[in-house]
């Protein structure tokens, strides 16, 4: 039943707008990625495009500080949820025509970076405007460093007048899969998550707690980074936060929709 709820709840104008805005040349790829993004039925006939895949934005001079983190997260999503994922994340430039095939983008870094050209910023704006989701993860090890400064400049250019603000404790993000009360990563440099809302949905989420650092595991199965101050419990909370972010991007606010309650109650009353 959970899979059916995800599919029903994800039907909304923001996702339809995303498909229309991506362009005819990319429509097939976007539909495939988005259908899997909302937990649709497995469609092996169309291969890897039926799988949910992370895409990390590649910017000049900004290497991936946690190259194994998204791969590990993809594995955990398969293990803990009904979403099928591609194990290897994509690395994509904003100028790449395939950008709109990836509704879930990740920008991670541990240093200052130069802003992309205006044409690339416009493409990122279009991606977000038509339903895309952007997760920004700082691996600097502290709040307010060079990466943070560059991120805020980028967001100011991409979404003028829509600066990131604290995500309130009452937001559905905190219960999209797990019930959470914090936003830890490898560290707790900031006690809060920030986000940008568009059309009543979180389109951008920003953490300065090095979420990827808590998730990364090497080829021998060993954790790559110590998690402080909370150790294994904090690492588990970081995984739960990451999965909540993915499930929110898939389903938005279905857990706040009263329309599902009657259906659930009627289903529970059906004879077995």
């Amino acid at each position: 039943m959970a899979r059916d709820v995800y599919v029903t709840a994800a039907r909304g104008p923001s996702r339809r707008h995303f498909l229309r805005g991506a362009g005819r040349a990319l429509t097939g790829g976007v539909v495939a990625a988005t259908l899997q993004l909302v937990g649709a039925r497995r469609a092996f006939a169309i291969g890897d495009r039926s799988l949910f895949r992370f895409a990390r934005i590649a910017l000049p001079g900004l290497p991936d500080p946690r190259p194994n983190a998204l791969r590990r997260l993809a594995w955990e999503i398969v293990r803990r949820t009904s979403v099928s994922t591609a194990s290897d994340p994509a690395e994509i430039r904003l100028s790449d025509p395939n950008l709109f095939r990836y509704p879930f983008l990740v920008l991670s870094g541990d240093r200052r970076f130069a802003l992309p050209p205006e044409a690339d910023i416009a493409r990122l704006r279009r991606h977000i405007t038509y339903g895309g989701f952007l997760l920004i993860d700082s691996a600097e090890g502290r709040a307010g460093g060079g990466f943070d400064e560059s991120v805020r400049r980028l967001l100011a250019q991409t979404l003028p007048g829509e600066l990131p603000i604290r995500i309130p404790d009452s937001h559905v993000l905190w219960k999209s899969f797990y019930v959470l009360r914090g936003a830890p990563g490898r560290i707790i440099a900031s006690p809060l998550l920030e986000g940008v809302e568009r059309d009543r949905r979180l389109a951008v989420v920003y953490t300065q707690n090095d979420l990827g650092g808590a998730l990364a595991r090497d080829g021998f199965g060993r954790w790559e980074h110590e998690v402080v101050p909370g150790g294994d419990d904090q690492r588990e909370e970081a995984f739960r936060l990451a999965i909540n972010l993915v499930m929110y991007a898939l389903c938005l606010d279905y857990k706040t929709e009263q329309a599902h309650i009657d259906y659930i109650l009627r289903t529970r009353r059906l004879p077995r």
Side-chain angles (χ1 to χ4, degrees), residues 7-53:
V7 174
T8 302
R11 292 172 185 159
S14 62
R15 287 302 183 263
R16 290 199 298 269
H17 292 167
F18 183 92
L19 299 182
R20 287 203 298 267
R24 292 183 180 178
L26 301 178
T27 297
V30 176
V31 170
T34 306
L35 284 177
Q36 184 54 44
L37 191 66
V38 297
R41 293 179 181 178
R42 299 169 189 263
F44 296 108
I46 56 177
D48 285 349
R49 289 188 181 181
S50 68
L51 303 176
F52 169 67
R53 186 188 299 271

Side-chain angles (χ1 to χ4, degrees), residues 103-121:
F104 194 112
L105 300 179
V106 178
L107 176 62
S108 57
D110 58 2
R111 64 197 66 180
R112 192 183 313 274
F113 59 89
L115 290 184
E118 177 54 40
D120 288 356
I121 292 177

Side-chain angles (χ1 to χ4, degrees), residues 16-267:
R16 290 199 298 269
H17 292 167
F18 183 92
L19 299 182
R20 287 203 298 267
R24 292 183 180 178
L26 301 178
T27 297
V30 176
V31 170
T34 306
L35 284 177
Q36 184 54 44
L37 191 66
V38 297
R41 293 179 181 178
R42 299 169 189 263
F44 296 108
I46 56 177
D48 285 349
R49 289 188 181 181
S50 68
L51 303 176
F52 169 67
R53 186 188 299 271
F54 294 104
R56 179 183 178 270
I57 298 174
L59 295 179
L62 190 65
D64 189 349
R66 312 291 184 223
N68 293 323
L70 293 178
R71 184 178 297 108
R72 180 66 192 185
L73 177 55
W75 187 89
E76 290 285 344
I77 290 170
V78 171
R79 188 172 73 89
R80 301 185 188 210
T81 78
S82 60
V83 177
S84 298
T85 69
S87 59
D88 293 324
E91 185 95 355
I92 194 162
R93 295 183 179 276
L94 292 173
S95 58
D96 193 318
N98 293 321
L99 178 69
F100 294 95
R101 289 182 177 173
Y102 303 101
F104 194 112
L105 300 179
V106 178
L107 176 62
S108 57
D110 58 2
R111 64 197 66 180
R112 192 183 313 274
F113 59 89
L115 290 184
E118 177 54 40
D120 288 356
I121 292 177
R123 287 172 60 79
L124 178 60
R125 183 184 306 119
R126 185 181 179 194
H127 186 285
I128 293 171
T129 299
Y130 285 98
F133 183 86
L134 173 62
L135 169 62
I136 304 175
D137 183 23
S138 171
E140 282 191 292
R142 62 190 178 96
F147 181 78
D148 176 69
E149 179 184 341
S150 297
V151 162
R152 296 185 190 280
R153 289 174 56 224
L154 175 62
L155 291 177
Q157 293 291 321
T158 305
L159 303 169
E162 299 179 69
L163 298 178
I165 61 172
R166 177 182 179 273
I167 298 174
D169 295 341
S170 59
H171 197 279
V172 71
L173 172 66
W174 304 112
K175 57 182 178 179
S176 61
F177 195 79
Y178 294 103
V179 177
L180 302 176
R181 287 187 170 83
R186 179 184 62 83
I187 57 173
I188 305 179
S190 173
L192 51 87
L193 279 183
E194 294 177 89
V196 178
E197 280 201 346
R198 290 184 65 89
D199 299 324
R200 294 166 53 188
R201 69 176 179 92
L202 275 176
V204 179
V205 172
Y206 177 31
T207 173
Q208 298 190 66
N209 291 332
D210 191 10
L211 185 60
L215 313 183
R217 220 167 189 168
D218 66 19
F220 298 99
R222 298 172 299 200
W223 298 116
E224 293 185 1
H225 306 282
E226 183 182 0
V227 172
V228 293
D232 288 342
D233 289 343
Q234 183 174 320
R235 193 188 304 276
E236 173 60 23
E237 287 296 303
F239 268 109
R240 293 185 179 193
L241 172 61
I243 288 171
N244 271 33
L245 287 166
V246 171
M247 299 308 289
Y248 175 80
L250 306 182
C251 308
L252 296 182
D253 58 354
Y254 88 93
K255 283 204 171 183
T256 65
E257 290 293 335
Q258 296 296 309
H260 297 296
I261 293 178
D262 182 62
Y263 170 79
I264 292 170
L265 293 176
R266 283 188 289 108
T267 302

